[in-house]
Amino acid sequence: MNPRPSSSSLLLPALLAAVLAAMVVLAGCATSSAPGLPTGPDCSDQARFDLALAGEPVPPACAVAAPDEAYGLGAMIRENRETIRRARMQLRNLPPDSERAALRLRQQLIRAERDLPELEALARLEGWLPPAELPDAPPD
């Protein structure tokens, strides 16, 4: 007569296999800073924000569920800075008889200059931009 294995003796190998599989999966997800080992892209909020400021796309490995606040805020700051730069350049090069175009460009410039400090303040609150440089206080 063969003794039948108990259910507890069958459970232990299955449990060990599950724990081992979980450890392998988690080890594959962990990043290593050891030299010579490949690491994945930096997918932090700061990295995605910096990519947006530079006008670069987020790597597919770093895609997050919409909305991506870090990337979106960086993109809005970049767009406002670009609008300011472009509008100033176009206003300088505009012929004197282009009143309507000048008005449109000045309106774009005013909107972008109004919105940019607020967007940058949000990024500073998140720690994605360094603190603003303030002029030195006048001597007492």
Side-chain angles (χ1 to χ4, degrees):
M1 183 184 237
N2 270 340
R4 185 172 176 199
S6 68
S7 61
S8 63
S9 65
L10 292 176
L11 183 61
L12 186 60
L15 183 60
L16 286 173
V19 169
L20 184 59
M23 289 174 57
V24 168
V25 168
L26 290 176
C29 293
T31 57
S32 172
S33 59
L37 292 179
T39 59
D42 182 0
C43 296
S44 67
D45 286 345
Q46 180 69 53
R48 291 191 324 277
F49 177 81
D50 292 340
L51 285 171
L53 279 180
E56 299 291 326
V58 173
C62 295
V64 297
D68 184 350
E69 291 180 26
Y71 192 84
L73 184 57
M76 286 190 285
I77 291 172
R78 179 180 41 79
E79 289 166 5
N80 274 276
R81 288 176 177 172
E82 179 60 26
T83 297
I84 291 168
R85 186 197 63 75
R86 186 182 61 248
R88 286 180 178 164
M89 183 183 68
Q90 288 176 350
L91 279 169
R92 279 193 301 268
N93 298 329
L94 207 58
D97 61 342
S98 303
E99 292 176 26
R100 181 167 275 171
L103 177 63
R104 179 183 51 79
L105 287 169
R106 281 194 297 272
Q107 289 171 338
Q108 288 177 2
L109 184 61
I110 289 168
R111 278 192 299 273
E113 287 177 334
R114 176 197 65 203
D115 294 344
L116 184 60
E118 293 172 1
L119 296 170
E120 289 176 336
L122 285 173
R124 284 187 179 90
L125 287 173
E126 292 291 339
W128 300 331
L129 279 180
E133 301 222 1
L134 300 175
D136 293 332
D140 291 335

